[in-house]
Amino acid sequence: MSLTEPIFKKLCIIGLGLIGSSIARAARLNDAVKEIAALDSSPQVLARVRELGLAEDASGDMRAALKDADLVILCTPVGAIGAVAKEIAPYLEHGAVLSDVGSVKGSVVAQVAPHVPQGVHFIPAHPLAGTEYSGPDAGFATLFHNRWCILTPPAGESDAVEAMAEFWKRLGAKVETMSSEHHDLALAVTSHLPHLIAFNIVGTADHLEQVAKQEVIKFSASGFRDFTRIAASDPTMWRDIFLNNKEAVLEMLSRFNGDLEKLRLMIEKDDGDGLFDLFTRTRAIRRGIVEQGQDTAAPDFGRTH
Ligand code: NAP
């Protein structure tokens, strides 16, 4: 296949926020599809999509948008995904690939799979790329460059999996395949728990009455600032992630609480060697991430949710 030959003929994106609009931009820039149609529950978003020229069809006509679409990607918040799948199911073309970008996979599969018509290939996906911004103006074409995209396909869908892997690689991503259970556990520790900690620590600082808000802002260079960036992530998205990956997040949270207690005891017992050993190990992990090019030096790149 030549680099400029489109992988799919018509892509229909549902939900043109940060991720959906980035897919539209990247798919167009990299000739991954011939034509793009956009659907969104918000008329304002569709108007903006038309102004930005992100799709050939952003009229909001569901039947027209899905007609001849051989790839449909659900880019709405996880909590809305089942209802959207149900609504579009009657209009999906036989042979089409249906995918999504939801940050949680087990719950998405449970919500969507019952509505997938015979002859439609459902290949769930999660690009590990994002920022703390939302909406069609926040997207950009290079968002997925050198980021992982995880596919969690059912068995027996090798052609559709291959096409989806090609699609994401064309957008600049690296692709890995795993089960949705494994995905949800891995993401609970690498993404969901760190976000929970950030939401909590920023909330704690906010509640501390003896620390004036001004001081929180003034001295925020010392570590707190990075937490505030993570804690600024979209409230709808993160509410949906925690409610839809409850089991794995609670398991990781209880392990975290156990480790935090060990850390507390080390401080209490003046265990300098223990603290030094732990910080040496965590420093090595950070260096490994930087060596693999998964560092996020630029402010707009690569928050991985
Ligand atoms: P976003 O910027 O808020 O965009 C979501 C879009 O979907 C909005 O335009 C929203 O419209 C629309 N929408 C909501 N309900 C809908 C419905 N029922 N039908 C059609 N459109 C609907 O969110 P995002 O950051 O792009 O996230 C989208 C998905 O990507 C989520 O599932 C998230 O888990 C996943 N994801 C996000 C990131 C990240 O860093 N942000 C990274 C990887 C994966 P309104 O604004 O009017 O509600």
Side-chain angles (χ1 to χ4, degrees), residues 251-304:
E251 187 186 325
M252 291 306 158
L253 194 56
S254 85
R255 287 195 198 192
F256 173 82
N257 283 336
D259 289 341
L260 192 61
E261 179 56 19
K262 284 185 206 151
L263 202 48
R264 196 190 68 75
L265 284 174
M266 283 187 220
I267 296 169
E268 193 180 87
K269 295 183 186 315
D270 292 318
D271 180 4
D273 289 347
L275 290 172
F276 187 85
D277 285 350
L278 175 67
F279 301 158
T280 304
R281 274 190 282 130
T282 58
R283 179 182 241 194
I285 291 171
R286 166 68 189 173
R287 287 184 174 162
I289 290 170
V290 174
E291 275 162 23
Q292 286 182 34
Q294 296 298 307
D295 180 29
T296 61
D300 273 356
F301 286 77
R303 238 64 74 217
T304 55

Side-chain angles (χ1 to χ4, degrees):
M1 189 180 280
S2 97
L3 241 190
T4 49
E5 192 181 325
I7 297 152
F8 291 94
K9 287 201 287 288
K10 181 175 173 184
L11 163 64
C12 178
I13 302 171
I14 306 181
L16 273 286
L18 168 70
I19 302 295
S21 74
S22 293
I23 292 176
R25 289 173 170 100
R28 169 140 321 147
L29 184 74
N30 297 293
D31 293 319
V33 299
K34 273 191 190 149
E35 190 187 341
I36 300 174
L39 288 171
D40 198 287
S41 54
S42 157
Q44 289 84 356
V45 169
L46 284 180
R48 192 63 190 136
V49 169
R50 290 193 291 273
E51 281 167 14
L52 293 167
L54 295 179
E56 276 76 21
D57 172 8
S59 64
D61 179 337
M62 186 176 287
R63 187 185 291 264
L66 291 166
K67 182 153 177 39
D68 298 328
D70 50 355
L71 175 60
V72 178
I73 307 184
L74 306 170
C75 302
T76 66
V78 166
I81 226 158
V84 174
K86 186 177 179 190
E87 208 182 340
I88 63 167
Y91 308 110
L92 291 171
E93 295 282 356
H94 188 86
V97 174
L98 174 65
S99 191
D100 76 298
V101 294
S103 305
V104 175
K105 297 276 51 99
S107 153
V108 164
V109 171
Q111 289 183 62
V112 175
H115 305 296
V116 179
Q118 277 269 316
V120 170
H121 308 282
F122 178 39
I123 311 295
H126 178 202
L128 305 190
T131 74
E132 63 272 36
Y133 303 108
S134 306
D137 285 287
F140 51 100
T142 53
L143 178 64
F144 309 110
H145 273 194
N146 201 30
R147 297 290 153 203
W148 286 104
C149 180
I150 299 175
L151 306 181
T152 65
E157 288 285 12
S158 55
D159 287 354
V161 171
E162 201 179 310
M164 279 314 288
E166 272 310 303
F167 176 81
W168 279 105
K169 284 180 193 163
R170 185 72 67 87
L171 269 49
K174 302 180 287 183
V175 176
E176 181 130 341
T177 301
M178 62 181 69
S179 71
S180 48
E181 294 77 18
H182 187 81
H183 167 279
D184 287 354
L185 206 58
L187 268 289
V189 69
T190 57
S191 170
H192 305 169
L193 188 61
H195 275 79
L196 199 65
I197 293 165
F199 291 128
N200 189 49
I201 199 166
V202 176
T204 301
D206 190 45
H207 290 141
L208 278 179
E209 280 172 22
Q210 69 269 36
V211 181
K213 282 218 174 108
Q214 270 181 340
E215 284 177 301
V216 169
I217 294 165
K218 192 166 152 192
F219 301 129
S220 70
S222 47
F224 185 74
R225 186 181 51 194
D226 286 348
F227 281 116
T228 61
R229 175 179 52 69
I230 297 170
S233 298
D234 188 67
T236 305
M237 171 174 150
W238 282 98
R239 178 201 61 198
D240 288 0
I241 287 174
F242 291 121
L243 295 183
N244 285 277
N245 198 21
K246 202 187 256 189
E247 229 172 88
V249 169
L250 291 180
E251 187 186 325
M252 291 306 158
L253 194 56
S254 85
R255 287 195 198 192
F256 173 82
N257 283 336
D259 289 341
L260 192 61
E261 179 56 19
K262 284 185 206 151
L263 202 48
R264 196 190 68 75
L265 284 174
M266 283 187 220
I267 296 169
E268 193 180 87
K269 295 183 186 315
D270 292 318
D271 180 4
D273 289 347
L275 290 172
F276 187 85
D277 285 350
L278 175 67
F279 301 158
T280 304
R281 274 190 282 130
T282 58
R283 179 182 241 194
I285 291 171
R286 166 68 189 173
R287 287 184 174 162
I289 290 170
V290 174
E291 275 162 23
Q292 286 182 34
Q294 296 298 307
D295 180 29
T296 61
D300 273 356
F301 286 77
R303 238 64 74 217
T304 55
H305 303 146

